[in-house]
Amino acid sequence: MAMAVTQTLEQGGQLVVEAGTGVGKTYAYLVPVLLSGQRALVSTATKALQDQLFSRDIPRLVEVLGLPIRVALLKGRSNYLCLHRMEQARHSAESAQPGAQRALAKIETWSQATRTGDMAELTGLDERSSLWPLVTSTRDNCLGSSCPRYRACHVNLARKEAMASDVVVINHHLFFADMAVRESGVAELLPTVRVTVFDEAHQLNEIGVNFLGKQLSTVQLLELSRDVLATGLQLARGLVDWHALTDRLEKSSRDLRLAAGMHRGSVRLRWTETLPEGVEGSEWTPALQNVLQALAQLQNGLETVAELAPDFQRLLERACELSQKADLFSKVPDPEGVRWAEVSAQLRLIESPLDIAQAFSALTRPVQAPLVLDHEALDDEASDPESIQALMAGDPRHGSDPQATQGSGVGQRAWIFTSATLGDEPSLRWFTEPCGLTSAQVMQVSSPFDYAQQAALYVPDHLPKPGDPGHAGHVAQLVVEAVELLGGRTLVLTTTLNAMRAIGEYLQTRLDPAANVEVLVQGQSPKRRLMERFREGAGDGRAGCVLVASASFWEGFDVPGDALQLVVIDKLPFPPPGDPLFEARSQRVTREGRSAFADHALPEAAVALKQGAGRLIRSETDRGVLVVCDTRLTTMSYGRRLVRGLPEMRRLSGHAEFLSTLRQFTTDATSWTTS
């Protein structure tokens, strides 16, 4: 992989690499990038990997290689303390909540000492805290150069640091934000570079679709109302009836949410003509018009005081932007995209492209002929110890000398995309097509782990069908039986929140107290705390933990060692029926003459299953069992394709062998692998 990255850096072009767990893909791209002498962006999907790269991986390599490289970390605006908003926070309604004044005092004290203003440095304040948005800024409420604290702004200082650095570690959201800004002609957020690396690239399309689309939410409307009221009472009390204006906007926002109907949990509603499916037009249309009228009145009020302070000017701009979005959603959708309503406690109206192919292919398209990788030469070179030593030592043949690389590719940019999961077939079409990378060079690097010896797959044949109402209960019973044998060490991944709640509740009420196992359920504690507690495993008088989770825990959850030895997946993770974005993509596939199931739904399920299964084996010494509680994996013809996408584990033939394997985990540490 390192050789392929090196060749791409020298010649330019696009390289897509699926690197299995344990390959060491981070070092495989970092070493060539650092040695190339080229200025680079390294983008990730999660803050955890972003912090790991900046704080651990890159500093280690820079020290080992002895390179005079300047590295910067750049996050989204809302991750940094906003000095101006912090100074205004004590005047907000939220500051009157119990404990808020003490928390604000802690933030103010920390603000005097922090150099970066990165909120991750501040312990004890969760991102879900109501104080977080009061002391940070967003693209909507930032005053820009008009801000009285502009020179001391942590976001601007971080950007200046990035502009002067050789390697900048960012995230995918920030990359797409920079894309949008450059297209609008405004000064860019990120430095211009020749090398861009996307780690955790499998999330690129979904993040890009959300970012490149248009959104209007009741959260945006209520935040505008809150900010107008606080700023108006502080800077222009008595000049405008701020209470009347903001009360109307708040009421119209809440009425719009109510017009979308009552739903349990979070649901996505298709869009039909000018309103969400299943919503009464007699309620929806006037509710949306009331929002537009409330925004118009708010604009009139803000115009009368806009010259008094830059705060009012920015609030006026926000009101106009939201009014334009509300007007957009009162009209017929763009036929080239998809529109839907996401309804939970709040309401989001979304219109987005089906993928990022058009926008992204224009950005990454080579200016010359596409790079042709000599895979045969790469294989020979990768097996040659002298070549690897030359790479590590900085041999100019491998791109360590900037002068040696500038002549090749004639300035063509290099784009590296990598992840442990990018598709279920050698072409990696699941990833390359929606990202517009159809001319990219593709490479797969298998995991070095011995899955046949370290892991086993069990598909219970005694469970009811996945659609049976009692399916979750039977899965929970199987988990209880396994957990009591293992003493915890179990991760249960569900495809729906309802299944997660049902299984979690069953375990918390039915698990034998004598097992002394702690049951953790997503949503009952912050995600970070759940992960930390699970990794701790046995301790405090407990045998271990079982974690029942959905959604975000299917990927990015790394638990090497004995704390995790059993992963249970309740159903095959097919996209949910009725999801508007999935349906729109399926319809496009059908119009192209392909199968919506075989060419869209099945690859989506295969990738998700691969991600979930990847939680099990995280090191050379790990061992464990993957249980997929869905008989379709063995009874349906497409099950073979799904199994092929998984690592080659040995198969357990029945329930007795499954329980026997778990018992061996608690006795002889190696005997089970010889069965």
Side-chain angles (χ1 to χ4, degrees), residues 81-103:
L81 175 70
C82 175
L83 298 171
H84 179 58
R85 288 179 64 79
M86 179 188 69
E87 291 165 356
Q88 293 182 315
R90 288 193 178 275
H91 302 284
S92 68
E94 286 82 353
S95 66
Q97 296 175 356
Q101 293 295 325
R102 189 183 305 109

Side-chain angles (χ1 to χ4, degrees), residues 38 143 233 270 287 329 352 356 384 397 451 534 572 624 630 633 649:
Q38 298 292 336
L143 301 181
L233 294 180
R270 302 181 192 86
F329 286 103
S352 75
I356 63 172
D384 177 8
R397 293 175 301 168
Y451 281 93
F534 190 89
L572 294 178
D630 194 327
L633 196 63
M649 312 177 211

Side-chain angles (χ1 to χ4, degrees), residues 190-378:
L190 303 174
T192 300
V193 298
R194 183 177 175 273
V195 178
T196 305
V197 179
F198 292 98
D199 202 339
E200 300 177 311
H202 63 281
Q203 294 194 31
L204 207 55
N205 183 48
E206 294 309 313
I207 290 174
V209 161
N210 286 327
F211 200 93
L212 296 176
K214 299 179 178 65
Q215 297 188 25
L216 174 69
S217 72
T218 52
V219 170
Q220 291 174 306
L221 296 169
L222 293 173
E223 284 182 349
L224 173 64
S225 175
R226 180 196 66 195
D227 290 348
V228 167
L229 182 61
T231 305
L233 294 180
Q234 183 183 357
L235 301 179
R237 184 185 291 270
L239 298 182
V240 176
D241 190 346
W242 301 112
H243 282 289
L245 291 178
T246 56
D247 284 350
R248 175 163 188 188
L249 180 57
E250 282 193 24
K251 184 179 186 306
S252 64
S253 303
R254 300 188 194 284
D255 287 346
L256 184 66
R257 164 60 191 88
L258 291 174
M262 301 303 295
H263 303 274
R264 184 178 179 182
S266 178
V267 298
R268 286 183 171 186
L269 304 179
R270 302 181 192 86
W271 203 275
T272 57
E273 294 299 325
T274 57
L275 74 164
E277 187 178 67
V279 173
E280 290 293 333
S282 58
E283 297 180 11
W284 177 264
T285 302
L288 188 56
Q289 288 303 314
N290 284 339
V291 169
L292 280 165
Q293 292 170 12
L295 285 168
Q297 291 184 358
L298 193 66
Q299 290 174 58
N300 291 335
L302 289 168
E303 284 172 352
T304 64
V305 295
E307 301 301 321
L308 296 182
D311 304 67
F312 289 123
Q313 183 60 46
R314 184 64 193 121
L315 288 169
L316 177 59
E317 291 170 0
R318 284 171 65 186
C320 292
E321 289 167 4
L322 291 178
S323 183
Q324 290 171 0
K325 290 179 180 179
D327 185 58
L328 169 75
F329 286 103
S330 68
K331 297 175 180 176
V332 177
D334 180 356
E336 296 301 316
V338 57
R339 180 185 291 182
W340 72 93
E342 195 168 279
V343 188
S344 58
Q346 304 295 335
L347 172 68
R348 279 202 310 159
L349 308 182
I350 304 161
E351 183 170 288
S352 75
L354 295 181
D355 56 38
I356 63 172
Q358 184 175 354
F360 211 65
S361 62
L363 182 70
T364 61
R365 187 178 296 121
V367 294
Q368 300 176 190
L371 167 68
V372 178
L373 284 178
D374 186 348
H375 290 285
E376 202 171 302
L378 286 173

Side-chain angles (χ1 to χ4, degrees), residues 280-547:
E280 290 293 333
S282 58
E283 297 180 11
W284 177 264
T285 302
L288 188 56
Q289 288 303 314
N290 284 339
V291 169
L292 280 165
Q293 292 170 12
L295 285 168
Q297 291 184 358
L298 193 66
Q299 290 174 58
N300 291 335
L302 289 168
E303 284 172 352
T304 64
V305 295
E307 301 301 321
L308 296 182
D311 304 67
F312 289 123
Q313 183 60 46
R314 184 64 193 121
L315 288 169
L316 177 59
E317 291 170 0
R318 284 171 65 186
C320 292
E321 289 167 4
L322 291 178
S323 183
Q324 290 171 0
K325 290 179 180 179
D327 185 58
L328 169 75
F329 286 103
S330 68
K331 297 175 180 176
V332 177
D334 180 356
E336 296 301 316
V338 57
R339 180 185 291 182
W340 72 93
E342 195 168 279
V343 188
S344 58
Q346 304 295 335
L347 172 68
R348 279 202 310 159
L349 308 182
I350 304 161
E351 183 170 288
S352 75
L354 295 181
D355 56 38
I356 63 172
Q358 184 175 354
F360 211 65
S361 62
L363 182 70
T364 61
R365 187 178 296 121
V367 294
Q368 300 176 190
L371 167 68
V372 178
L373 284 178
D374 186 348
H375 290 285
E376 202 171 302
L378 286 173
D379 290 340
D380 292 341
E381 215 171 357
S383 62
D384 177 8
E386 290 185 6
S387 294
I388 296 175
Q389 289 173 4
L391 176 67
M392 295 298 290
D395 190 320
R397 293 175 301 168
H398 299 286
S400 63
D401 182 357
Q403 300 302 320
T405 59
Q406 286 172 356
S408 56
V410 196
Q412 187 183 137
R413 291 186 65 176
W415 301 85
I416 314 296
F417 305 84
T418 186
S419 171
T421 310
L422 290 176
D424 70 325
E425 54 185 353
S427 68
L428 302 181
R429 195 171 69 177
W430 174 86
F431 171 73
T432 58
E433 279 194 355
C435 290
L437 300 172
T438 51
S439 63
Q441 299 304 310
V442 171
M443 183 179 189
Q444 287 180 298
V445 185
S446 300
S447 170
F449 299 154
D450 188 352
Y451 281 93
Q453 290 293 314
Q454 293 180 249
L457 171 64
Y458 174 47
V459 183
D461 59 7
H462 64 281
L463 298 184
K465 293 181 179 180
D468 191 294
H471 181 266
H474 283 81
V475 172
Q477 291 171 18
L478 181 145
V479 173
V480 166
E481 194 174 10
V483 165
E484 290 179 344
L485 278 175
L486 275 180
R489 312 186 211 177
T490 300
L491 172 64
V492 182
L493 296 174
T494 68
T495 53
T496 65
L497 292 177
N498 287 337
M500 181 192 76
R501 296 187 190 103
I503 294 171
E505 183 179 338
Y506 187 99
L507 295 179
Q508 288 176 332
T509 57
R510 304 290 184 87
L511 197 60
D512 187 351
N516 212 20
V517 171
E518 183 174 0
V519 179
L520 308 171
V521 181
Q522 181 182 344
Q524 294 182 358
S525 293
K527 181 181 177 182
R528 182 182 299 177
R529 177 57 193 145
L530 289 174
M531 293 193 295
E532 289 172 352
R533 176 64 195 100
F534 190 89
R535 290 189 184 110
E536 290 168 3
D540 298 326
R542 291 192 175 276
C545 298
V546 54
L547 171 59

Side-chain angles (χ1 to χ4, degrees), residues 22 121 309 360 511 604 646:
E121 298 174 2
F360 211 65
L511 197 60
E604 289 281 332
L646 298 174

